[in-house]
Amino acid sequence: MRKLGLVIALLGASALAPALSHAQSPDAFAKALHIYGSYRVVPDITYLTANNWEAKLDVYQARDATTPNPTLVYFHGGGWVAGSKEASSLTFLPFLSMGWNVVNVEYRLAKISLAPSAVQDALCALRWVHRNGKEYNVDTNRLVVMGNSAGGHLALTTGMSPTSESLDSLCPGNEELKVAAVINWYGITDVNELLAGANMRNFAVAWLGGMSNREQIAKRVSPLTYVRAGLPPIISIQGDADPTVPYSQNVRLHQALDKAEIRNELVTIPGGKHGGFSDAEMT
């Protein structure tokens, strides 16, 4: 899987290699049973209460962990209007197979609260990890944020938003919201582009609603707004025939990051749609 190898190289995470070597091996079933028996899941931990709604996350922790482990913080997709953390649990199996912790996050969807609430929640989830990580053997110096589609957007904004934007104002505590790397699977990078014109998307319109200042808010929650020096490594993976998120958005992000001299990679899946990539497409 050459393209997944690029992910490993960019993040410097050599521990990924064993996970990939097992992906097509005959003992895959035994490996799955090993993961099942080796992890404990602490479900539905409330990390934030807003709009009279409890935002929750699940922690997957290796049972035999005695030292702080690298940890993935994962955000599900669904255009900020749909999706759930429970429906996305298979997505991060490779990280469990290599012994990482995983924090699987839910956030306020548009039916509960419009933008920028989902971005605020994602930052609060990261703050919760920094504040409570020791209890779950989390190495807060080795936190990677990842998501698909709208979740990719949230991973980017979580890893890129500066404290000066105060998008973390709802979050208890004052810990620095730092991450070691960002993995963006076909995420949105320019929300304004999806509000009108040829690339208008109903899910983006629904997330911003009829707010009079929606263009200003859309810019505030767009990763492209926050490209600057000092960001963590970022890798983006997207099909160049994606019908949902314009491929050009991640091309623009890649170009902007290059200009800012940020370590990054754009992995293009030729002919790939909006996720669901086949093994052939990933080679």
Side-chain angles (χ1 to χ4, degrees):
M1 294 184 175
R2 185 179 62 84
K3 293 185 176 69
L4 288 179
L6 288 174
V7 176
I8 299 170
L10 181 74
L11 300 181
S14 59
L16 274 170
L20 298 178
S21 68
H22 285 290
Q24 302 295 330
S25 63
D27 64 345
F29 182 69
K31 186 69 174 179
L33 289 177
H34 172 73
I35 293 171
Y36 177 79
S38 299
Y39 275 83
R40 73 180 184 111
V41 182
V42 185
D44 293 329
I45 301 169
T46 299
Y47 69 87
L48 177 70
T49 300
N51 299 112
N52 296 314
W53 185 78
E54 293 185 350
K56 298 181 179 181
L57 55 79
D58 304 332
V59 176
Y60 293 69
Q61 179 192 15
R63 294 183 186 276
D64 60 355
T66 57
T67 59
N69 283 337
T71 298
L72 181 77
V73 181
Y74 179 77
F75 306 102
H76 68 79
W80 312 291
V81 299
S84 69
K85 60 181 173 61
E86 289 80 11
S88 303
S89 56
L90 292 178
T91 306
F92 45 78
L93 274 177
F95 290 86
L96 297 179
S97 72
M98 63 187 185
W100 286 40
N101 300 318
V102 173
V103 179
N104 188 19
V105 181
E106 72 176 4
Y107 49 88
R108 283 174 289 172
L109 302 177
K111 64 184 178 182
I112 299 168
S113 187
L114 301 178
S117 295
V119 173
Q120 293 171 318
D121 293 357
L123 288 165
C124 288
L126 181 61
R127 173 68 55 71
W128 183 93
V129 174
H130 276 285
R131 299 196 86 195
N132 298 277
K134 186 175 181 180
E135 180 181 348
Y136 299 95
N137 293 105
V138 169
D139 184 346
T140 54
N141 291 313
R142 292 188 290 169
L143 289 175
V144 174
V145 288
M146 184 177 85
N148 300 61
S149 193
H153 161 267
L154 293 176
L156 287 167
T157 51
T158 300
M160 297 174 68
S161 299
T163 55
S164 59
E165 280 297 309
S166 300
L167 285 164
D168 64 337
S169 59
L170 296 179
C171 315
N174 58 4
E175 292 82 358
E176 181 184 1
L177 298 180
K178 60 181 181 178
V179 302
V182 179
I183 305 175
N184 158 39
W185 292 86
Y186 43 90
I188 299 96
T189 69
D190 182 353
V191 179
N192 258 315
E193 186 185 12
L194 306 186
L195 296 180
N199 287 325
M200 188 271 289
R201 299 292 188 268
N202 289 333
F203 61 84
V205 174
W207 190 43
L208 273 295
M211 294 180 285
S212 60
N213 62 338
R214 70 174 191 168
E215 287 79 13
Q216 178 183 351
I217 295 174
K219 182 178 180 180
R220 192 180 181 210
V221 298
S222 291
L224 275 166
T225 301
Y226 302 119
V227 175
R228 64 195 186 283
L231 293 174
I234 296 171
I235 186 164
S236 300
I237 306 98
Q238 187 173 16
D240 60 11
D242 191 329
T244 304
V245 176
Y247 171 68
S248 59
Q249 291 212 350
N250 277 296
V251 171
R252 288 163 58 203
L253 177 66
H254 173 55
Q255 292 171 342
L257 291 169
D258 274 352
K259 186 175 181 180
E261 299 184 343
I262 301 303
R263 189 180 180 204
N264 81 100
E265 185 79 42
L266 172 59
V267 180
T268 300
I269 311 298
K273 306 297 185 181
H274 194 62
F277 305 130
S278 67
D279 288 346
E281 288 174 322
M282 289 298 290
T283 55

